[in-house]
């Protein structure tokens, strides 16, 4: 049985579907601060099995202990973090409390109940401003440019120290690049509460007429067209990467492993906009805005290690990501 914290969120919900499809039993903990309860039914429909839901926040040790007491949890996949770079600059304390303190509570509960298998949702932001691209797992980490990235860096250090203190732990740290897209069914996708902080749901809402214009933050970076370059990965590919990592921990037993999850291909913001327009035949209204605090010019992965050790290769194209995101946007509330 797998505990998925933040399991009704964007990446968590897609991962729950893949877990169910792979015959795992799933327990979800979510406080619905950035997700919706109706997602549970959609996860069950797509996964073909029921899940068990607990509502609450990981900062509350009592609910964590209740979950472990009432269920035989074999492993935990942790998605319970705030994830907006720009917002983290404005609300650093909230990000450190939610993204770091909660993990400490989770680890304590796992230790207490002798569950020592963890897949942790980290981020490419731990690399800070990379000295070279594509980025490998051996690239220097640190020098983070925003509190979100720093919070992930702190937790990575905590997990490294935890493993050094007790090598009975099995830990996979997955450094995501830029997940976008949605489930091809149109039932699951990125649906933040309030104004989207990430680019793809913002684009879809602009095209739907719910938002006026997309701000492109900076066109004077040292990139081919001046806009930021990122490694966009389809959220379903990313979810499959978690299954591969979990299987690795089950097979290897005892170890700490770090993997980049990306495609190895960088696209600029303007290239993403053009790809969306081509895939959906919709015009994206945008304007150039000043650079955003915490952003960097270029960030994309070298996915070789994940391919060699996990057998993980992202299969979906940028066109797939755009089409699926637009399909989901048009299915919201249906």
């Amino acid at each position: 049985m797998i505990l998925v914290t933040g399991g009704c969120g964007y990446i968590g919900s897609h991962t729950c579907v893949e877990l169910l499809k792979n015959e795992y039993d799933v327990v979800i903990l979510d406080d619905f601060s950035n997700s919706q309860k109706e997602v549970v039914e959609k996860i069950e429909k797509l996964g073909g099995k029921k899940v068990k839901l607990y509502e609450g926040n990981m900062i509350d040790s009592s609910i964590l202990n209740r979950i472990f007491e009432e269920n035989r949890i074999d492993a935990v996949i942790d998605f319970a973090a705030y994830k907006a770079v720009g917002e983290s600059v404005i609300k650093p304390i909230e990000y450190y409390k939610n993204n770091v303190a909660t993990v400490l509570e989770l680890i304590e509960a796992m230790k207490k109940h002798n569950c020592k298998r963890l897949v942790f949702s980290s981020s490419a932001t731990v690399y800070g401003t990379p000295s070279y691209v594509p980025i490998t797992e051996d690239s220097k980490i640190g020098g983070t440019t925003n509190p979100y990235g720093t919070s992930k860096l702190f937790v990575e250090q905590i997990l490294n120290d935890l493993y050094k203190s007790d090598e009975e732990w099995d830990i996979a740290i997955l450094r995501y690049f830029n997940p976008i897209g949605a489930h091809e069914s149109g039932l699951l996708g990125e649906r933040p509460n309030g104004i989207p902080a990430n680019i793809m749901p913002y684009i879809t809402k602009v095209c739907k007429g719910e938002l006026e214009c997309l701000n492109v933050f900076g066109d004077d970076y040292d990139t081919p067209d001046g806009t930021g370059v990122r490694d966009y990965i389809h959220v379903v590919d990313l979810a499959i990467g978690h299954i591969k990592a979990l299987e690795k921990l089950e097979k290897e037993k005892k170890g700490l492993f770090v993997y980049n999850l990306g495609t190895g291909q960088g696209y600029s913001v303007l290239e993403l906009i053009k790809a969306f327009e081509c895939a959906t035949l919709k015009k994206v209204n945008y304007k150039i805005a000043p650079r955003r605090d915490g952003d960097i010019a270029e960030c994309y992965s070298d996915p070789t290690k994940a391919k060699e050790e996990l057998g993980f290769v992202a299969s979906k194209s940028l066109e797939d990501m755009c089409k699926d995101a637009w399909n989901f946007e048009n299915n919201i509330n249906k």
Side-chain angles (χ1 to χ4, degrees):
M1 184 171 282
I2 311 300
L3 169 61
V4 183
T5 65
C8 290
Y10 177 43
I11 303 170
S13 61
H14 288 82
T15 302
C16 285
V17 170
E18 296 303 319
L19 286 167
L20 294 175
K21 286 167 62 178
N22 282 273
E23 301 302 322
Y24 289 97
D25 293 316
V26 172
V27 175
I28 293 174
L29 172 63
D30 205 300
D31 66 357
F32 300 104
S33 61
N34 199 33
S35 58
Q36 300 80 32
K37 285 187 179 180
E38 58 263 30
V39 166
V40 175
E41 292 182 12
K42 296 175 181 180
I43 290 170
E44 293 175 337
K45 180 176 181 179
L46 294 172
K49 291 177 63 178
K50 292 287 187 181
V51 301
K52 192 171 183 180
L53 174 67
Y54 290 80
E55 185 173 354
N57 190 289
M58 286 203 308
I59 202 69
D60 180 3
S61 60
S62 64
I63 194 168
L64 284 171
N65 284 311
R66 184 157 66 90
I67 290 170
F68 281 99
E69 288 164 2
E70 293 177 359
N71 306 276
R72 183 178 176 180
I73 304 298
D74 300 301
V76 179
I77 305 179
D78 178 26
F79 296 107
Y82 296 154
K83 62 185 179 72
V85 167
E87 183 183 61
S88 77
V89 176
I90 301 168
K91 301 178 178 179
I93 302 306
E94 288 90 333
Y95 269 68
Y96 290 128
K97 182 176 181 180
N98 187 75
N99 293 7
V100 181
T102 54
V103 176
L104 295 175
E105 295 291 345
L106 175 63
I107 291 169
E108 286 292 341
M110 292 177 71
K111 285 172 60 179
K112 180 178 178 181
H113 297 278
N114 198 34
C115 175
K116 294 185 176 182
R117 186 171 293 154
L118 173 65
V119 178
F120 175 66
S121 168
S122 191
S123 166
T125 54
V126 300
Y127 294 113
T129 302
S131 55
Y132 60 86
V133 288
I135 301 168
T136 70
E137 289 83 353
D138 294 326
S139 299
K140 182 181 178 182
I141 61 174
T144 46
T145 60
N146 54 77
Y148 166 71
T150 306
S151 73
K152 293 297 186 180
L153 184 69
F154 285 168
V155 175
E156 285 202 16
Q157 185 61 58
I158 290 167
L159 295 178
N160 273 276
D161 290 340
L162 174 66
Y163 181 70
K164 288 177 184 176
S165 73
D166 181 0
E167 293 186 354
E168 292 293 310
W169 282 84
D170 305 301
I171 301 170
I173 294 172
L174 304 182
R175 293 173 180 162
Y176 307 166
F177 280 71
N178 290 72
I180 60 174
H183 196 275
E184 64 181 3
S185 66
L187 291 178
L188 288 179
E190 188 168 11
R191 188 185 173 190
N193 294 331
I195 301 297
N198 293 333
I199 189 168
M200 185 57 83
Y202 209 105
I203 287 175
T204 60
K205 291 193 177 300
V206 166
C207 288
K208 204 173 181 182
E210 295 180 11
L211 294 171
E212 181 181 354
C213 180
L214 172 72
N215 288 318
V216 176
F217 296 107
D219 65 347
D220 57 350
Y221 287 107
D222 185 18
T223 61
D225 62 21
T227 64
V229 171
R230 298 292 183 267
D231 185 342
Y232 297 103
I233 179 172
H234 197 292
V235 66
V236 173
D237 279 334
L238 188 66
I240 292 169
H242 289 77
I243 308 303
K244 299 284 190 181
L246 188 59
E247 290 171 347
K248 166 88 171 181
L249 296 184
E250 292 170 345
K251 179 181 178 182
E252 296 286 333
K253 311 291 185 186
K254 304 179 184 60
L256 187 147
F257 310 93
V258 179
Y259 297 103
N260 288 337
L261 292 185
T263 67
Q265 174 69 53
Y267 293 98
S268 74
V269 175
L270 294 183
E271 286 177 321
L272 176 63
I273 291 171
K274 183 177 180 180
F276 186 89
E277 291 178 335
C278 290
T280 65
L281 302 180
K282 300 293 292 186
K283 177 67 176 175
V284 179
N285 294 321
Y286 72 90
K287 65 180 179 181
I288 304 299
R291 290 189 185 189
R292 184 173 55 181
D293 288 344
D295 278 346
I296 60 175
E298 196 171 28
C299 183
Y300 60 93
S301 71
D302 180 341
T304 302
K305 184 180 178 184
K307 178 180 179 180
E308 292 179 347
E309 297 189 14
L310 299 181
F312 170 74
V313 178
S315 63
K316 293 182 179 290
S317 67
L318 189 62
E319 180 182 15
D320 294 329
M321 302 176 210
C322 295
K323 283 184 175 180
D324 289 343
W326 182 235
N327 182 40
F328 170 71
E329 183 66 40
N330 286 300
N331 276 281
I332 291 176
N333 299 326
K334 284 187 178 179

